[in-house]
Amino acid sequence: MFTMAQHSTFDIQPSKNPVSDEERKKILDAPGFGQYFTDHMVVIDYEQGKGWHNHRVVPYSEFSVNPANMVLHYGQAIFEGLKAYRHSDGSIVTFRPEANAERFQNSAARMAMPKLSKEDFVDSIRELVKIDAAWVPKAGGEECLYLRPFMFATENGLGVHPAHKFTYVLIASPAGAYFSGGIEPVTVWVSHEYVRACPGGTGAAKFAGNYAASLAAQEAADKEGCDQVLWLDAIERENIEEMGGMNVMFVERDGDDVTIITPALSGSLLPGITRDSLKTVAKDLGYSVDERVITMKELEERVGTGEITEAFACGTAAVINPIGTFKSRDGEFTVNNCESGEITMKMRSTLTGIQHGELPDTHDWLATLVD
Ligand code: PLP
Ligand code: COI
């Protein structure tokens, strides 16, 4: 049955003391990642029996938290990540927001949280980007506006049960390269000590606790001089899953034949929207795509024989970043002499070309937010 989309009205309360033009320009010249926030945020409340209500755009500000707030104790909290890009004609677009809306719903279902409608999710993005359009960096560079939708329990009480009250919030942060070294090949630490997710667990949800659980391993990676953790599966401790905040892909090359190998969605790794998009980009570029189990042993052996020629991380924040070195308790090996690979960079320029409006959007992935 065809159902009409339900759009809500957002109450707009503009900030009385936005960041000055001069200060904002300084920030946009070197935004880093996740350090500065725009003048406004979107907030929507949920209460069981009443549903989602009080849709509003308000000045960016702090929340006050009751010490018995259930999220502080039992951790019902999920989030998303996507970006807004300015095109050379001044318009602002985002990339596949409905896919993020759907994953947000799936994460909510896994964490016994209410689903926010896709319309509310996408409309919240439209409202925030409209009012904070001056925060979207200029066209022609890598910089864009990172959007962070999230939802958390707001009921107070210590009984262990799904909360009956939640808050959805959208904040935005101008962003440059995710890794401090820019788009240089990174070193990953293959974690044998810890696991990120297990069958039946929460790994496929964008659940805050997954990230909390990853931090001890990230500290271990830091101590080893590595940029990120590469996670293995919980059972065999051999199958490659993903990185702390990115999926992974490998390039297999035999003359002109190129195959992109990526770990199959096992139920414990996050179904990345960049990963999904790159499967299509790869096919458009004439490459084959092989989603399957790939072990550390296979990776090391076939990097050694020269069959696997490149490795890269992919995700919204990181875009595509080459991986140069794999390090673990068993030693280390490098891929492509620790240099950015040709296929990796071709995939990157194609994806970012579409996102930044420099290549045709043949798959209808872009949604215009501001004309
Ligand atoms: N895996 C994890 C654990 C992530 O946090 C992310 C980032 O969102 C990804 C993969 C990549 O997902 P996406 O491409 O949708 O950003
Ligand atoms: C993203 O790419 O949007 C992420 O959420 C990754 C990380 C910053 C947690």
Side-chain angles (χ1 to χ4, degrees):
M1 196 180 66
F2 178 77
T3 47
M4 288 287 287
Q6 295 288 314
H7 292 277
S8 308
T9 304
F10 288 71
D11 179 33
I12 315 283
Q13 300 165 31
S15 170
K16 291 200 174 63
N17 46 20
V19 171
S20 69
D21 287 351
E22 194 192 352
E23 180 66 15
R24 194 180 56 245
K25 280 200 189 94
K26 232 184 334 172
I27 293 171
L28 294 184
D29 279 344
F33 182 82
Q35 295 171 44
Y36 304 98
F37 298 92
T38 65
D39 295 309
H40 298 88
M41 61 185 185
V42 172
V43 184
I44 314 176
D45 299 318
Y46 175 88
E47 195 173 334
Q48 201 175 53
K50 197 167 172 187
W52 290 101
H53 61 281
N54 201 6
H55 299 60
R56 55 205 189 273
V57 179
V58 294
Y60 184 96
S61 64
E62 300 192 353
F63 293 116
S64 70
V65 185
N66 185 301
N69 186 315
M70 286 173 68
V71 74
L72 301 179
H73 303 270
Y74 308 129
Q76 276 180 295
I78 57 172
F79 68 97
E80 267 304 324
L82 64 168
K83 286 175 168 173
Y85 310 87
R86 190 182 293 281
H87 284 185
S88 57
D89 64 0
S91 65
I92 302 170
V93 306
T94 190
F95 185 73
R96 303 188 66 189
E98 303 241 334
N100 291 87
E102 187 172 335
R103 190 171 63 189
F104 199 56
Q105 291 188 336
N106 294 339
S107 299
R110 177 63 186 84
M111 304 315 300
M113 296 166 79
K115 285 187 183 178
L116 184 77
S117 73
K118 287 189 187 174
E119 289 75 21
D120 274 356
F121 185 94
V122 177
D123 289 350
S124 72
I125 289 167
R126 211 175 282 287
E127 292 294 343
L128 187 63
V129 171
K130 206 162 57 181
I131 199 164
D132 281 336
W135 284 90
V136 183
K138 60 183 187 305
E142 287 280 331
E143 289 79 18
C144 50
L145 186 68
Y146 181 76
L147 303 164
R148 172 54 65 87
F150 60 105
M151 191 210 301
F152 57 98
T154 45
E155 185 178 336
N156 302 321
L158 300 184
V160 181
H161 60 80
H164 300 125
K165 284 187 179 173
F166 292 88
T167 296
Y168 165 81
V169 188
L170 170 64
I171 55 175
S173 173
Y178 183 71
F179 290 108
S180 54
I183 318 162
E184 288 302 310
V186 293
T187 300
V188 295
W189 174 248
V190 185
S191 181
H192 286 94
E193 192 181 356
Y194 301 103
V195 290
R196 173 184 177 274
C198 61
T202 58
K206 218 159 156 52
F207 160 52
N210 291 339
Y211 298 81
S214 75
L215 297 177
Q218 183 60 44
E219 272 187 348
D222 289 345
K223 277 204 193 102
E224 296 291 341
C226 298
D227 302 282
Q228 274 266 319
V229 178
L230 181 72
W231 295 103
L232 303 178
D233 75 286
I235 310 294
E236 310 288 339
R237 303 283 184 105
E238 182 57 27
N239 306 330
I240 296 170
E241 293 227 309
E242 62 176 319
M243 300 189 10
M246 291 137 234
N247 293 113
V248 278
M249 294 194 162
F250 306 99
V251 178
E252 181 183 57
R253 206 162 175 180
D254 181 8
D256 286 340
D257 289 340
V258 172
T259 301
I260 304 295
I261 303 172
T262 194
L265 296 179
S266 59
S268 63
L269 59 106
L270 193 83
I273 291 152
T274 316
R275 173 190 181 281
D276 185 65
S277 310
L278 288 177
K279 290 193 306 178
T280 302
V281 166
K283 287 177 194 156
D284 289 350
L285 292 172
Y287 311 151
S288 305
V289 174
D290 196 3
E291 277 182 276
R292 63 174 170 86
V293 171
I294 174 163
T295 63
M296 271 315 293
K297 186 160 175 279
E298 176 186 347
L299 178 66
E300 183 164 6
E301 277 174 10
R302 298 187 70 222
V303 166
T305 59
E307 293 160 279
I308 291 182
T309 53
E310 301 173 34
F312 61 90
C314 60
T316 299
V319 194
I320 290 183
N321 213 98
I323 302 173
T325 307
F326 291 82
K327 209 171 163 188
S328 76
R329 61 173 191 201
D330 303 326
E332 64 180 85
F333 60 94
T334 58
V335 186
N336 199 33
N337 285 326
C338 236
E339 283 166 22
S340 303
E342 181 194 338
I343 306 294
T344 301
M345 297 317 275
K346 181 81 192 152
M347 296 270 281
R348 189 179 208 284
S349 61
T350 307
L351 180 69
T352 57
I354 296 168
Q355 291 169 331
H356 292 266
E358 291 143 10
L359 291 175
D361 175 26
T362 49
H363 301 287
D364 227 359
W365 280 336
L366 302 185
T368 301
L369 301 171
V370 177
D371 281 322

